[in-house]
Amino acid sequence: MSASGSNLKVAILGFGTVGSSVARILCDLKPQGIELTHIYNRNISRKLADWVPCEVQWTEEVEDILASNVDVIIELVGGLDPAGSWVRRALEAGKSAVTANKKLIAFHGIELEKLARSKGGHLLYGAAVAGGIPVIPGLQQGLAGDQVMRIEGILNGTCNFILSKMEDGAEFGDVLQEAQALGYAEVDPTEDVDGYDARAKLVILSRLALRADLDPNQIPCRSIRDVSAIDFAYARELSCTIRQISRAEIRGANLATGDVLASVGPMLVPKASPLAWSRGTENTVLVGGKYGGDVVFSGHGAGGHPTAVAVVSDVISIAHGSRAVDLPSRKTTIGGEFLLRHSIRFVVNDQPGIIAEIALALAEQGINIHAIFQKPGFGKGNLPFVVTVEPCANSALKRALARIGAMKCLLEKPFHLQILEPEETAG
Amino acid sequence: MSASGSNLKVAILGFGTVGSSVARILCDLKPQGIELTHIYNRNISRKLADWVPCEVQWTEEVEDILASNVDVIIELVGGLDPAGSWVRRALEAGKSAVTANKKLIAFHGIELEKLARSKGGHLLYGAAVAGGIPVIPGLQQGLAGDQVMRIEGILNGTCNFILSKMEDGAEFGDVLQEAQALGYAEVDPTEDVDGYDARAKLVILSRLALRADLDPNQIPCRSIRDVSAIDFAYARELSCTIRQISRAEIRGANLATGDVLASVGPMLVPKASPLAWSRGTENTVLVGGKYGGDVVFSGHGAGGHPTAVAVVSDVISIAHGSRAVDLPSRKTTIGGEFLLRHSIRFVVNDQPGIIAEIALALAEQGINIHAIFQKPGFGKGNLPFVVTVEPCANSALKRALARIGAMKCLLEKPFHLQILEPEETAG
Ligand SMILES: NC(=O)c1ccc[n+]([C@@H]2O[C@H](COP(=O)([O-])OP(=O)(O)OC[C@H]3O[C@@H](n4cnc5c(N)ncnc54)[C@H](OP(=O)(O)O)[C@@H]3O)[C@@H](O)[C@H]2O)c1
Ligand SMILES: NC(=O)c1ccc[n+]([C@@H]2O[C@H](COP(=O)([O-])OP(=O)(O)OC[C@H]3O[C@@H](n4cnc5c(N)ncnc54)[C@H](OP(=O)(O)O)[C@@H]3O)[C@@H](O)[C@H]2O)c1
């Protein structure tokens, strides 16, 4: 019920994948105290659905909704604009807003939450990270009493779909096409495969879990485009698989005394880690607390219905007068790099002295070789092999690889992956 | 902050494992707007701790706290009485209460929540199920918008510790002793190993997830005491392990049209299931929603610090004015039995005709044999083997086993385990 005790009037803005699922759940479950009054979309006539009760107004005039007595707008249009300005105007008018828009929340969430509070409304965005998995309410309600030191997650279902198919033997390009055909990947897959979608989610989680307010543009992102099938073969030798991992960690006793490290990109993940277990479009989030230890959440991180569950849950929370716990965060700059073991894949025209030259270039950067793996079945003229190195910073390794890159015998640019080992972080 | 805008005054009742961890976190993290004012225990002089600020009053007079201006009592004494009456009196006085007491919430939660609401206070119990894993806030805030059809969980850390050690080869009695020495199991382990602790937690989860208010005494509970090392050897043949599983499920479209099935006890769990992955005292909860699919939560379900995280999180929620979403539940009786595959372990003095006789007794109850396994290395005079049967009700199998139990060749009572297969439920 709204403040006045009557039904909470809600309007859906954007009747696409998530918006239509939200309407579907509201019409099916009819949660007590909630009344769907409007559905907005551009060119609305294409969208009309006969399972929506006739009392609901279909409109292509967003202004009508913003000027109406609607209590909550559910923003499912996506993107920074115009969606952001609609949310802002609704909050300014004292309405509440629920959104699944991670980009908007990553870039403008703090300001919008402040606005909501100052006007007496609520801004909830449980669907913005990991869709139907209640990580955000888990952090706000259930883990607020811990001091979270670390988050590691599989936050992008498209990348996970691609990489888990590659684990079964497919090549990147083929799986990307399949993902596009299935509607899991956009025609322009940049946001997903290059890590920007996951990065926005990591920013939101860092804010809620680590209380660190990071600038998305500062977080190093690496694409999964360069991962190839042979990398999975070598990963298996190391009892690992490869996943797009988003991680952030406080180095030191707490945020006030320590730095934050963060990154997004493909990593070697030990098969024993819960992060190696998600397949298909599943998401997994691990939250490491000082007092409560590791908590793992997993499930369907995307898709209309799972995402809609999180949206409807937020609307129900507002109807029940449940306010989001306001966890104060502080502006934080990334304070260094993870110090991790790496594996580096080379493809060479084999000749004497190659390992010596590689070892020298690594040693110049203070990096020690840990092991060398070579899978049988390749000729000397086109020989892939993998070198693992002891924990080092990515930047040092890149300097070494820049030198190594000039070696004549290389048939491909060397490709390196960090190995996920939570204990080894420092630097 | 309390309603008046000043600090929320909180008192800890019971300074044992969880109570002292709660005090520790409150003293370390000093969450904004929360002031620890009292610590109560019987014979308090034994309990004084120098790391607690001197403003905090130590007392053995609970009446002083109930009569004081404390806003929230944190009940960590345990048991139905006197803890229950203290919670009741605090709520009657308009205070809020936070508790980790699953027994109290399983048996009296609904009445106490109603009382809290009528007096303007809150009753939160996020720590009562799965300790530091935010399953309860996840259900109340994050999954309220789904229609949950099924819960499966590893809810008792003691049983999981025992069974995961047995998986590595130990025998029940030895591990129980080890668990007792480590403080994981009570001197009288009945509540844990016989399933009553897990049952109380299942009742709470069923209420919040399925909206079914079950009578704990109606839920069939089976002890893990009869599981032996040989059962793990046969489990491996079936690509399974053995875990204490608590489960409840709605059979039909929803609670209004369907029945609820529920049980607690040892089961064969396929190694591919997330429920097979928790080791040691870890807990895991799987929530299956109609719209959002399966969501899995796992982490430390017990222990002072993880449990205290949930308690402190609840206090923070109250301080932030965040009310628990009040999910209406309805009184529900258990409406049947799970129809599942079973495995039955026999130990016999081998002679011709044994399988025929067993098959006949099973067939009389309409139960078909699926497969027979016999591990090599045993003599005919003391031969263990395992029979798996097609999906059937536990009660039918028990009738068959009662007849089979009279067979002279049996050296031990046959021991059966259900096989966890979510898809096969009906009956
Ligand atoms: N899909 C998921 O699995 C998922 C998961 C988590 C979060 N989200 C987030 O949820 C939001 C919605 O995603 P979605 O998958 O539902 O997207 P979608 O299917 O593309 O739906 C967006 C809807 O908004 C409409 N729209 C777009 N721009 C508009 C504009 N400028 N003016 C008016 N209407 C406009 C679109 O209309 P047209 O049909 O005319 O284009 C479409 O109906 C996004 O923020 C997304 O990041 C999605
Ligand atoms: N431990 C866990 O991992 C865990 C996890 C989840 C939930 N919980 C729940 O949390 C609650 C507390 O558990 P715990 O492990 O902290 O138990 P505990 O270590 O036994 O602590 C209970 C405390 O309450 C005191 N107490 C007991 N009965 C009392 C009475 N009649 N009057 C006054 N004081 C009394 C005890 O004092 P004495 O020292 O004099 O006995 C002790 O200090 C229980 O409801 C339990 O089910 C515990």
Side-chain angles (χ1 to χ4, degrees):
Chain A
M1 277 113 326
S2 72
S4 66
S6 59
N7 275 350
L8 193 76
K9 294 186 173 51
V10 306
I12 295 175
L13 273 55
F15 197 72
T17 307
V18 182
S20 60
S21 287
V22 167
R24 171 69 76 179
I25 296 181
L26 290 175
C27 295
D28 277 10
L29 298 187
K30 302 182 185 57
Q32 218 192 330
I34 294 169
E35 186 185 337
L36 176 60
T37 57
H38 300 75
I39 297 176
Y40 159 82
N41 207 92
R42 60 187 170 199
N43 312 327
I44 192 73
S45 56
R46 300 166 300 154
K47 300 277 183 177
L48 308 182
D50 60 3
W51 45 266
V52 171
C54 53
E55 306 88 73
V56 175
Q57 266 183 264
W58 297 84
T59 173
E60 50 195 15
E61 300 296 337
V62 78
E63 297 300 331
D64 288 358
I65 294 177
L66 293 173
S68 75
N69 65 349
V70 154
D71 301 296
V72 182
I73 67 148
I74 306 180
E75 184 278 302
L76 298 166
V77 167
L80 291 181
D81 245 321
S85 61
W86 296 339
V87 168
R88 189 167 290 112
R89 288 176 53 201
L91 295 175
E92 266 162 4
K95 299 185 191 305
S96 292
V98 169
T99 180
N101 191 331
K102 48 241 163 187
K103 208 163 174 181
L104 180 64
I105 299 301
F107 282 91
H108 303 297
I110 293 186
E111 158 215 339
L112 291 171
E113 279 191 286
K114 204 173 288 170
L115 175 62
R117 264 195 306 281
S118 75
K119 300 292 182 178
H122 304 277
L123 171 67
L124 295 185
Y125 47 86
V129 179
I133 313 171
V135 178
I136 289 182
L139 285 169
Q140 286 183 322
Q141 310 285 332
L143 297 173
D146 204 343
Q147 183 171 319
V148 178
M149 302 303 291
R150 154 177 149 260
I151 334 162
E152 292 168 4
I154 291 184
L155 301 179
N156 181 276
T158 310
C159 286
N160 207 62
F161 176 83
I162 293 174
L163 293 171
S164 60
K165 283 266 173 178
M166 288 178 73
E167 184 177 335
D168 299 338
E171 276 290 356
F172 178 82
D174 301 335
V175 197
L176 176 59
Q177 274 186 6
E178 185 185 345
Q180 284 165 329
L182 287 166
Y184 294 157
E186 307 283 326
V187 181
D188 174 3
T190 304
E191 283 281 313
D192 290 323
V193 302
D194 296 346
Y196 307 123
D197 173 82
R199 183 178 71 175
K201 295 168 178 170
L202 183 64
V203 166
I204 298 172
L205 291 183
S206 298
R207 197 180 287 160
L208 297 173
L210 308 179
R211 317 286 163 87
D213 185 20
L214 303 175
D215 174 0
N217 296 315
Q218 272 202 0
I219 299 178
C221 266
R222 210 170 155 218
S223 179
I224 65 161
R225 291 181 204 253
D226 298 323
V227 179
S228 76
I230 183 80
D231 295 312
F232 280 92
Y234 282 108
R236 265 190 293 277
E237 303 263 310
L238 296 164
S239 302
C240 288
T241 184
I242 301 171
R243 290 290 184 265
Q244 187 208 44
I245 300 293
S246 305
R247 56 196 309 237
E249 186 167 325
I250 296 174
R251 198 178 43 174
N254 58 52
L255 190 58
T257 62
D259 287 327
V260 166
L261 309 183
S263 71
V264 174
M267 290 187 79
L268 285 165
V269 181
K271 288 251 167 94
S273 161
L275 293 168
W277 300 338
S278 26
R279 299 195 53 89
T281 58
E282 276 176 16
N283 284 18
T284 300
V285 179
L286 184 155
V287 179
K290 178 171 168 187
Y291 298 95
D294 288 355
V295 174
V296 178
F297 303 77
S298 72
H300 297 286
H305 275 26
T307 307
V309 163
V311 170
V312 174
S313 298
D314 279 349
V315 177
I316 292 176
S317 282
I318 293 175
H320 283 255
S322 176
R323 288 206 268 151
V325 173
D326 169 30
L327 305 170
S329 60
R330 55 156 80 193
K331 251 205 150 17
T332 313
T333 49
I334 307 278
E337 290 181 81
F338 291 105
L339 263 198
L340 289 168
R341 288 204 295 144
H342 288 72
S343 93
I344 316 156
R345 182 238 304 156
F346 298 92
V347 184
V348 298
N349 181 356
D350 198 20
Q351 50 191 252
I354 291 184
I355 296 291
E357 200 170 340
I358 290 174
L360 186 68
L362 291 167
E364 279 178 4
Q365 301 297 334
I367 302 170
N368 292 320
I369 289 184
H370 178 258
I372 301 179
F373 298 85
Q374 193 175 307
K375 284 196 89 68
F378 294 92
K380 281 197 174 290
N382 186 2
L383 187 74
F385 67 94
V386 158
V387 173
T388 58
V389 298
E390 291 178 0
C392 67
N394 215 20
S395 57
L397 184 66
K398 273 189 178 160
R399 284 192 298 273
L401 290 180
R403 214 199 109 164
I404 292 169
M407 284 168 65
K408 295 243 168 52
C409 61
L410 290 182
L411 302 177
E412 285 180 23
K413 213 173 145 233
F415 179 69
H416 65 285
L417 285 170
Q418 294 178 315
I419 305 177
L420 184 68
E421 271 159 330
E423 330 80 78
E424 299 259 24
T425 56
Chain B
M1 279 112 323
S2 72
S4 66
S6 58
N7 276 349
L8 195 75
K9 294 186 174 49
V10 306
I12 295 174
L13 274 54
F15 197 72
T17 306
V18 182
S20 59
S21 286
V22 168
R24 172 67 76 177
I25 295 181
L26 289 176
C27 295
D28 278 9
L29 298 188
K30 302 182 186 56
Q32 217 192 328
I34 294 169
E35 185 184 340
L36 175 62
T37 58
H38 299 77
I39 297 177
Y40 159 83
N41 207 93
R42 59 187 170 199
N43 311 326
I44 192 72
S45 56
R46 298 168 300 151
K47 301 276 184 178
L48 308 180
D50 60 4
W51 45 266
V52 171
C54 54
E55 306 87 72
V56 175
Q57 264 182 267
W58 297 83
T59 173
E60 51 194 17
E61 299 297 336
V62 78
E63 297 301 330
D64 288 356
I65 293 177
L66 293 173
S68 74
N69 66 347
V70 153
D71 300 296
V72 181
I73 67 149
I74 305 180
E75 184 279 299
L76 298 166
V77 167
L80 292 181
D81 245 321
S85 61
W86 295 339
V87 168
R88 190 167 289 113
R89 287 176 52 203
L91 295 176
E92 266 162 5
K95 299 184 191 309
S96 293
V98 169
T99 180
N101 191 331
K102 49 240 162 186
K103 207 164 174 178
L104 180 64
I105 298 302
F107 282 93
H108 303 297
I110 292 185
E111 157 215 341
L112 291 171
E113 279 190 288
K114 203 173 289 168
L115 176 61
R117 264 194 304 281
S118 74
K119 299 292 182 177
H122 305 276
L123 173 66
L124 295 185
Y125 47 86
V129 179
I133 314 171
V135 177
I136 289 182
L139 285 169
Q140 287 182 321
Q141 310 286 333
L143 297 172
D146 204 344
Q147 183 169 319
V148 178
M149 302 303 290
R150 151 177 152 265
I151 332 164
E152 293 168 2
I154 292 185
L155 301 179
N156 182 276
T158 309
C159 286
N160 207 62
F161 176 83
I162 293 174
L163 293 171
S164 60
K165 283 265 173 180
M166 289 179 72
E167 184 177 336
D168 298 337
E171 275 291 357
F172 179 81
D174 301 334
V175 199
L176 176 57
Q177 273 186 7
E178 185 185 346
Q180 284 165 330
L182 287 167
Y184 296 158
E186 307 281 327
V187 181
D188 175 2
T190 305
E191 282 281 312
D192 290 322
V193 301
D194 296 346
Y196 307 122
D197 172 82
R199 183 177 72 176
K201 294 168 178 169
L202 183 63
V203 166
I204 297 172
L205 290 184
S206 299
R207 196 180 289 160
L208 296 173
L210 308 180
R211 319 286 163 88
D213 185 19
L214 303 174
D215 175 359
N217 296 314
Q218 271 201 1
I219 299 177
C221 267
R222 208 170 158 222
S223 181
I224 65 160
R225 289 181 204 257
D226 299 323
V227 178
S228 75
I230 183 82
D231 295 312
F232 280 91
Y234 282 108
R236 264 188 294 276
E237 303 263 309
L238 296 163
S239 302
C240 288
T241 184
I242 301 172
R243 291 288 183 266
Q244 187 207 42
I245 299 292
S246 305
R247 55 197 309 237
E249 186 167 325
I250 296 174
R251 198 179 41 176
N254 58 52
L255 190 58
T257 61
D259 288 327
V260 166
L261 309 183
S263 71
V264 175
M267 292 186 79
L268 286 165
V269 181
K271 288 250 166 94
S273 161
L275 293 167
W277 300 338
S278 27
R279 299 196 51 91
T281 57
E282 277 177 17
N283 284 19
T284 300
V285 180
L286 184 155
V287 178
K290 179 171 168 187
Y291 298 96
D294 289 355
V295 175
V296 177
F297 303 77
S298 73
H300 297 285
H305 275 25
T307 308
V309 163
V311 170
V312 174
S313 298
D314 279 350
V315 176
I316 292 176
S317 283
I318 293 175
H320 284 254
S322 176
R323 289 206 265 151
V325 173
D326 169 29
L327 305 170
S329 59
R330 54 157 79 192
K331 252 204 148 19
T332 313
T333 50
I334 306 278
E337 290 180 81
F338 290 104
L339 264 199
L340 288 169
R341 289 203 296 144
H342 286 73
S343 93
I344 316 158
R345 181 237 307 156
F346 298 93
V347 183
V348 297
N349 182 355
D350 198 21
Q351 51 190 252
I354 291 184
I355 296 291
E357 201 169 340
I358 290 174
L360 187 67
L362 290 168
E364 279 178 4
Q365 300 297 333
I367 302 171
N368 292 321
I369 289 184
H370 178 256
I372 301 178
F373 297 84
Q374 194 175 306
K375 283 195 91 66
F378 294 91
K380 279 196 175 295
N382 187 2
L383 187 74
F385 66 94
V386 159
V387 172
T388 58
V389 298
E390 291 178 0
C392 67
N394 214 20
S395 57
L397 184 66
K398 273 188 176 159
R399 285 192 297 274
L401 290 180
R403 212 198 111 167
I404 292 169
M407 284 168 65
K408 293 245 169 52
C409 61
L410 290 182
L411 301 177
E412 285 180 23
K413 213 173 144 229
F415 178 69
H416 65 284
L417 285 171
Q418 295 178 315
I419 305 176
L420 184 67
E421 272 159 329
E423 331 77 82
E424 299 259 24
T425 56

